[in-house]
Amino acid sequence: MHRLGSLLSHKPLLNPRAPLYSLISSSTFSYSPNSIEIFYDHLLKSCNGSSSLKQIHSALTTTGLITTSPHLGAQIIIKYAKFDDLNRARLLFDNINVCYDKPTSFLCNTMIRAYANVGQCFETLKLYSFMRKTGTFVNNYTYPFVFKACALNLLVREGKVVHGDALKNGFGSDLYVEAGLVDMYAKCGLFVDCRKIFDEMSTKDLVCWTAMITAYEQAEKPEEALILFKKMQQEEGLLADSIAVVSVASAVGQLGDVKNAHTVHGYAFRKSLIEELCVGNSILAMHTKCGNTEKARLVFDMMMERDVISWNSMLSGYTQNGQATEALLLFDEMRDSDCQPTPVTALIMVSACAYLGFRHLGRKFHDFIVDSRMEIDTNLSNALMDMYAKCGDLEKAVDLFNGIPPTERNAGSWNVLISGYGMHGHGKEALELFSRMQEEGVEPNHFTFTSILSACSHAGLIDEGRKCFAEMKRLSVTLEDKHHACVVDMLGRAGLLQEAFDLIKEMPSPPSDGVWGALLLACKIHGNMELGKTAASNLLQLEPNHTGYYVLMSNIYAASNKWKEVWKLRQDMKNKGLKKPAAFSMIEYGKDILGFHTADQENPYRHEVYKKMESLAIEMKMAGYVPDLSCALHDVEEEDKERMLNYHSEKLAVAFGVLKIDPGMVIRVTKNLRVCNDCHSAFKYISHIYQRKIIVRDANRFHHFQGGTCSCKDYW
């Protein structure tokens, strides 16, 4: 997916408003254009293709102007570079230099600029070395582009050597040279050197401030970027231009700072900067990172010009904020526009399909990628594997993994399949793949251990999980909060609540809400009210407005018939304006998706489905099913509780599947919350009575029901 960093890497190191002629004043020649040169200069500026450029080049060669007018020669070189023909640009450069006793600084700088702008660092450094050997004057226009080339290739040692040359030649305090140094050291991650140069600058213009702000933003240090931006405004009185706004918007987005997002947007609007494509894209992305997709869409709809970055940012914003359906609708609009989807677009949309979990959508999009002849690299292959695993087609995910040449598989490839095995309850297969990964020389990373620990948790492989956790220390993989959360979840699901609590107390840093949340869920599963209170108390201090934690604790009280405590928690939620997320289940029906709410009164099939559910309840009871009334979380009569259980959203979806989907086909249901114990039990009976395979994806994992059993072995 598009990242703002890809935009920012193209920011000019020099002031974009400084005319070219002012930068060549220190070169070894003076320049005053005549009428013929002015004519060709205008002609070159309007040139928009290599064919017409070659004609102009030929005419200049015939007239001899190509060697007598350095400016026109430079313009031809610049144009060839723009049209990705650096070989022809260099050939022209060499031919012009043959006519002089030694190369001119101006032409050398032009060629260095062409190399640096496309990241050809070694060619840039060779040409810089050539200038020094031939005694060609190296000036304040040379150094910034050499620094830029070093920065793009992270060549710290070479960059420091050129820095030393700049100091020896008296350019150490030049504004443009210092700005280039700030940019180079920042991109190479040397923030001490970078900040030292910045702080010691006698004069700082907007370009220098922006370079330093951008350095912090690109290094994911948004707080420092915004502190410096505030200082630039308050102490220097400088107003942000479009380049600065792009960096500041990215920093605000990284922080998810909604208040400052409105401020940055307002400033860009008042100064008419938002009309610039790069600024519009950065404001759009900022709002999506702050979770405000409505504001982002408003920006998107008002853009006079859009590029593929605009579309990808909006698509990514929808997907990352759980609005995958909106992403799919927008993708259709993109295909109807002049903008062609790219492999980055494909990655985003594959992620959207994975989020929804619908296999036919995933296959449809996979076909689109193949039909569009997009390059399917390892990252896209990994994303497709992940999508199929999350859509319930683990076999296809395994086939894709096996189809990646072993030499091209990266750690992500192994991690995706380990995670897929885990979410489908195949813990032993996940462990075998984990061992095979190491045997083939692929080093596990922190993502690998998150996946394998989660797989052990879902499969109840406690001893194996403990060994994997210990293995992290041996391999010097940094223990993160998410790893502790996985182990707490693993121990908690197994009923080892005290061991899980002891692990939390031994953590070197304060536990996150993810760790306490794992303990609270375990307390809910095993009905441990006292430890649940401890977990909930810590959670509500960390996340006082997280609805899910109130609901979990409320469910613990309800299961123990502590209705007074349930009422108190629900009253607290009401006072804070919090609402319990509505249970919602979706079922694949041919090429359509049908949704059911609990006790749904809106669905067009509700009368048929309710009638079918009533008959299913009778058939299940005849087969031995006993409703689990503890899953009816309201203080009502038992008969009412039983009726409420029949109308859970996932039961309605499965009843629809039994009613409408051909007997030989799998019933596939996706639920937004964890499936309850009673529904889990009911689906085992239904799969046995009707000899149907039912696959349910809930918020945590997959359940494959067949012949009266579930793949999770009643452990979830």
Side-chain angles (χ1 to χ4, degrees), residues 506-559:
E506 292 169 6
M507 285 177 63
S509 58
S512 67
D513 63 314
V515 174
W516 286 114
L519 183 64
L520 182 59
L521 177 60
C523 291
K524 191 263 180 189
I525 292 170
H526 295 285
N528 189 319
M529 193 186 308
E530 291 309 312
L531 195 52
K533 285 181 183 178
T534 302
S537 174
N538 282 280
L539 275 169
L540 297 179
Q541 287 181 31
L542 292 168
E543 294 286 345
N545 296 319
H546 195 297
T547 308
Y549 300 142
Y550 282 95
V551 172
L552 267 178
M553 195 61 217
S554 173
N555 291 352
I556 292 173
Y557 284 132

Side-chain angles (χ1 to χ4, degrees), residues 49-120:
S50 58
S51 179
S52 55
L53 177 62
K54 288 173 186 176
Q55 292 177 17
I56 299 169
H57 182 183
S58 178
L60 288 172
T61 303
T62 303
T63 60
L65 281 170
I66 197 72
T67 55
T68 59
S69 172
H71 171 69
L72 291 178
Q75 290 302 306
I76 294 281
I77 290 171
I78 290 167
K79 282 287 185 179
Y80 275 131
K82 181 181 178 182
F83 299 142
D84 296 322
D85 197 346
L86 277 175
N87 290 335
R88 203 175 289 271
R90 181 56 190 261
L91 185 63
L92 173 58
F93 170 79
D94 291 337
N95 288 339
I96 293 174
N97 281 325
V98 169
C99 302
Y100 295 93
D101 293 334
K102 67 177 181 178
T104 67
S105 295
F106 177 55
L107 283 175
C108 285
N109 288 343
T110 302
M111 196 65 230
I112 279 178
R113 172 189 175 187
Y115 280 135
N117 281 340
V118 295
Q120 290 203 15

Side-chain angles (χ1 to χ4, degrees), residues 105 127 135 140 185 203 259 296 299 301 322 326 338 368 379 466 490-491 506 538:
S105 295
L127 193 51
N140 62 337
Y185 283 128
T203 305
K259 184 179 178 181
V299 173
D301 289 339
E326 286 82 352
D338 294 331
F368 167 78
N379 289 332
R466 288 185 180 123
M490 177 184 74
L491 296 171
E506 292 169 6
N538 282 280

Side-chain angles (χ1 to χ4, degrees), residues 212-276:
M212 194 68 228
I213 291 166
T214 301
Y216 280 126
E217 172 266 317
Q218 290 184 335
E220 297 184 353
K221 296 176 182 288
E223 294 91 349
E224 289 89 337
L226 294 181
I227 289 169
L228 207 60
F229 177 66
K230 189 175 180 181
K231 190 175 180 182
M232 178 188 92
Q233 292 179 303
Q234 292 180 346
E235 296 183 13
E236 302 292 333
L238 294 171
L239 294 176
D241 62 2
S242 58
I243 300 169
V245 168
V246 168
S247 293
V248 171
S250 179
V252 170
Q254 287 177 37
L255 291 170
D257 188 337
V258 177
K259 184 179 178 181
N260 272 326
H262 288 299
T263 302
V264 174
H265 187 173
Y267 176 86
F269 180 80
R270 288 193 305 274
K271 299 296 181 182
S272 299
L273 297 173
I274 201 166
E275 295 170 9
E276 296 185 36

Side-chain angles (χ1 to χ4, degrees), residues 11 54 83 115 210 269 318 364 415 470 490 621 665:
K11 291 177 182 174
K54 288 173 186 176
F83 299 142
Y115 280 135
T210 302
F269 180 80
Y318 276 140
K364 183 179 176 182
N415 294 346
M490 177 184 74
K621 283 183 179 179
M665 296 183 67

Side-chain angles (χ1 to χ4, degrees), residues 73 81 246 255 306 326 339 398 436 450 489 516 596 652:
V246 168
L255 291 170
R306 298 183 193 129
E326 286 82 352
C339 190
V398 173
R436 185 177 146 202
T450 302
D489 183 66
W516 286 114
F596 288 89
L652 297 178

Side-chain angles (χ1 to χ4, degrees), residues 331-346:
F331 177 71
D332 287 338
E333 289 183 40
M334 182 182 188
R335 291 186 67 186
D336 291 337
S337 74
D338 294 331
C339 190
Q340 291 299 311
T342 66
V344 174
T345 317

